[in-house]
PDB file of all heavy atoms in Angstrom:
ATOM      1  N   PHE K  48     -15.652  16.930  14.923  1.00 98.00           N
ATOM      2  CA  PHE K  48     -16.459  18.142  15.098  1.00 98.00           C
ATOM      3  C   PHE K  48     -16.618  18.900  13.784  1.00 98.00           C
ATOM      4  O   PHE K  48     -16.898  20.092  13.783  1.00 98.00           O
ATOM      5  CB  PHE K  48     -15.815  19.067  16.144  1.00 98.00           C
ATOM      6  CG  PHE K  48     -16.345  18.881  17.544  1.00 98.00           C
ATOM      7  CD1 PHE K  48     -16.752  17.631  17.995  1.00 98.00           C
ATOM      8  CD2 PHE K  48     -16.426  19.947  18.429  1.00 98.00           C
ATOM      9  CE1 PHE K  48     -17.228  17.457  19.295  1.00 98.00           C
ATOM     10  CE2 PHE K  48     -16.905  19.796  19.719  1.00 98.00           C
ATOM     11  CZ  PHE K  48     -17.308  18.548  20.152  1.00 98.00           C
ATOM     12  N   PHE K  49     -16.422  18.199  12.651  1.00 98.00           N
ATOM     13  CA  PHE K  49     -16.611  18.871  11.370  1.00 98.00           C
ATOM     14  C   PHE K  49     -17.461  18.049  10.408  1.00 98.00           C
ATOM     15  O   PHE K  49     -18.026  18.581   9.457  1.00 98.00           O
ATOM     16  CB  PHE K  49     -15.266  19.225  10.748  1.00 98.00           C
ATOM     17  CG  PHE K  49     -15.325  20.350   9.750  1.00 98.00           C
ATOM     18  CD1 PHE K  49     -16.151  21.450   9.946  1.00 98.00           C
ATOM     19  CD2 PHE K  49     -14.547  20.323   8.611  1.00 98.00           C
ATOM     20  CE1 PHE K  49     -16.202  22.493   9.025  1.00 98.00           C
ATOM     21  CE2 PHE K  49     -14.583  21.361   7.687  1.00 98.00           C
ATOM     22  CZ  PHE K  49     -15.417  22.446   7.897  1.00 98.00           C
ATOM     23  N   GLY K  50     -17.540  16.738  10.608  1.00 96.00           N
ATOM     24  CA  GLY K  50     -18.486  15.899   9.871  1.00 96.00           C
ATOM     25  C   GLY K  50     -18.357  15.973   8.367  1.00 96.00           C
ATOM     26  O   GLY K  50     -19.373  16.018   7.671  1.00 96.00           O
ATOM     27  N   GLY K  51     -17.116  15.975   7.839  1.00 95.00           N
ATOM     28  CA  GLY K  51     -16.961  16.037   6.394  1.00 95.00           C
ATOM     29  C   GLY K  51     -17.576  17.288   5.809  1.00 95.00           C
ATOM     30  O   GLY K  51     -18.221  17.255   4.764  1.00 95.00           O
ATOM     31  N   ILE K  52     -17.374  18.409   6.481  1.00 96.00           N
ATOM     32  CA  ILE K  52     -17.968  19.708   6.151  1.00 96.00           C
ATOM     33  C   ILE K  52     -19.487  19.644   6.297  1.00 96.00           C
ATOM     34  O   ILE K  52     -20.253  19.828   5.348  1.00 96.00           O
ATOM     35  CB  ILE K  52     -17.573  20.213   4.742  1.00 96.00           C
ATOM     36  CG1 ILE K  52     -16.099  19.984   4.447  1.00 96.00           C
ATOM     37  CG2 ILE K  52     -17.901  21.709   4.628  1.00 96.00           C
ATOM     38  CD1 ILE K  52     -15.663  20.447   3.067  1.00 96.00           C
ATOM     39  N   LEU K  53     -19.943  19.366   7.515  1.00 96.00           N
ATOM     40  CA  LEU K  53     -21.364  19.377   7.896  1.00 96.00           C
ATOM     41  C   LEU K  53     -22.196  18.348   7.142  1.00 96.00           C
ATOM     42  O   LEU K  53     -23.395  18.503   6.988  1.00 96.00           O
ATOM     43  CB  LEU K  53     -21.988  20.768   7.694  1.00 96.00           C
ATOM     44  CG  LEU K  53     -21.487  21.881   8.592  1.00 96.00           C
ATOM     45  CD1 LEU K  53     -20.237  22.547   8.007  1.00 96.00           C
ATOM     46  CD2 LEU K  53     -22.560  22.950   8.809  1.00 96.00           C
ATOM     47  N   THR K  54     -21.564  17.281   6.670  1.00 97.00           N
ATOM     48  CA  THR K  54     -22.272  16.301   5.851  1.00 97.00           C
ATOM     49  C   THR K  54     -22.686  15.070   6.641  1.00 97.00           C
ATOM     50  O   THR K  54     -23.769  14.527   6.415  1.00 97.00           O
ATOM     51  CB  THR K  54     -21.398  15.901   4.644  1.00 97.00           C
ATOM     52  OG1 THR K  54     -21.151  17.072   3.867  1.00 97.00           O
ATOM     53  CG2 THR K  54     -22.080  14.861   3.788  1.00 97.00           C
ATOM     54  N   THR K  55     -21.853  14.608   7.557  1.00 98.00           N
ATOM     55  CA  THR K  55     -22.248  13.484   8.411  1.00 98.00           C
ATOM     56  C   THR K  55     -23.193  14.037   9.470  1.00 98.00           C
ATOM     57  O   THR K  55     -22.794  14.431  10.554  1.00 98.00           O
ATOM     58  CB  THR K  55     -21.017  12.812   9.041  1.00 98.00           C
ATOM     59  OG1 THR K  55     -20.115  12.444   7.999  1.00 98.00           O
ATOM     60  CG2 THR K  55     -21.422  11.571   9.828  1.00 98.00           C
ATOM     61  N   MET K  56     -24.477  14.072   9.133  1.00 97.00           N
ATOM     62  CA  MET K  56     -25.463  14.772   9.940  1.00 97.00           C
ATOM     63  C   MET K  56     -25.889  13.982  11.174  1.00 97.00           C
ATOM     64  O   MET K  56     -26.097  14.558  12.245  1.00 97.00           O
ATOM     65  CB  MET K  56     -26.696  15.084   9.091  1.00 97.00           C
ATOM     66  CG  MET K  56     -27.807  15.796   9.837  1.00 97.00           C
ATOM     67  SD  MET K  56     -29.119  16.370   8.733  1.00 97.00           S
ATOM     68  CE  MET K  56     -29.867  14.825   8.200  1.00 97.00           C
ATOM     69  N   THR K  57     -26.054  12.674  11.023  1.00 98.00           N
ATOM     70  CA  THR K  57     -26.548  11.883  12.144  1.00 98.00           C
ATOM     71  C   THR K  57     -25.415  11.167  12.878  1.00 98.00           C
ATOM     72  O   THR K  57     -25.199  11.392  14.056  1.00 98.00           O
ATOM     73  CB  THR K  57     -27.590  10.864  11.664  1.00 98.00           C
ATOM     74  OG1 THR K  57     -27.086  10.188  10.508  1.00 98.00           O
ATOM     75  CG2 THR K  57     -28.891  11.561  11.289  1.00 98.00           C
ATOM     76  N   ALA K  58     -24.646  10.336  12.168  1.00 98.00           N
ATOM     77  CA  ALA K  58     -23.521   9.623  12.781  1.00 98.00           C
ATOM     78  C   ALA K  58     -22.755   8.893  11.693  1.00 98.00           C
ATOM     79  O   ALA K  58     -23.309   8.557  10.647  1.00 98.00           O
ATOM     80  CB  ALA K  58     -24.013   8.623  13.833  1.00 98.00           C
ATOM     81  N   HIS K  59     -21.482   8.638  11.957  1.00 98.00           N
ATOM     82  CA  HIS K  59     -20.705   7.800  11.053  1.00 98.00           C
ATOM     83  C   HIS K  59     -21.183   6.351  11.163  1.00 98.00           C
ATOM     84  O   HIS K  59     -21.477   5.852  12.257  1.00 98.00           O
ATOM     85  CB  HIS K  59     -19.216   7.858  11.422  1.00 98.00           C
ATOM     86  CG  HIS K  59     -18.570   9.174  11.091  1.00 98.00           C
ATOM     87  ND1 HIS K  59     -18.190   9.532   9.820  1.00 98.00           N
ATOM     88  CD2 HIS K  59     -18.251  10.229  11.887  1.00 98.00           C
ATOM     89  CE1 HIS K  59     -17.646  10.730   9.837  1.00 98.00           C
ATOM     90  NE2 HIS K  59     -17.680  11.185  11.079  1.00 98.00           N
ATOM     91  N   ALA K  60     -21.242   5.682  10.013  1.00 97.00           N
ATOM     92  CA  ALA K  60     -21.615   4.272   9.943  1.00 97.00           C
ATOM     93  C   ALA K  60     -22.929   4.003  10.676  1.00 97.00           C
ATOM     94  O   ALA K  60     -23.076   2.984  11.362  1.00 97.00           O
ATOM     95  CB  ALA K  60     -20.505   3.378  10.516  1.00 97.00           C
ATOM     96  N   LEU K  61     -23.900   4.902  10.529  1.00 98.00           N
ATOM     97  CA  LEU K  61     -25.199   4.715  11.171  1.00 98.00           C
ATOM     98  C   LEU K  61     -25.819   3.423  10.654  1.00 98.00           C
ATOM     99  O   LEU K  61     -26.033   3.280   9.442  1.00 98.00           O
ATOM    100  CB  LEU K  61     -26.101   5.910  10.859  1.00 98.00           C
ATOM    101  CG  LEU K  61     -27.442   5.928  11.582  1.00 98.00           C
ATOM    102  CD1 LEU K  61     -27.248   6.223  13.063  1.00 98.00           C
ATOM    103  CD2 LEU K  61     -28.365   6.978  10.962  1.00 98.00           C
TER     104      LEU K  61
END
Side-chain angles (χ1 to χ4, degrees):
F48 266 33
F49 203 38
I52 317 179
L53 293 86
T54 299
T55 305
M56 179 171 69
T57 47
H59 289 282
L61 186 71

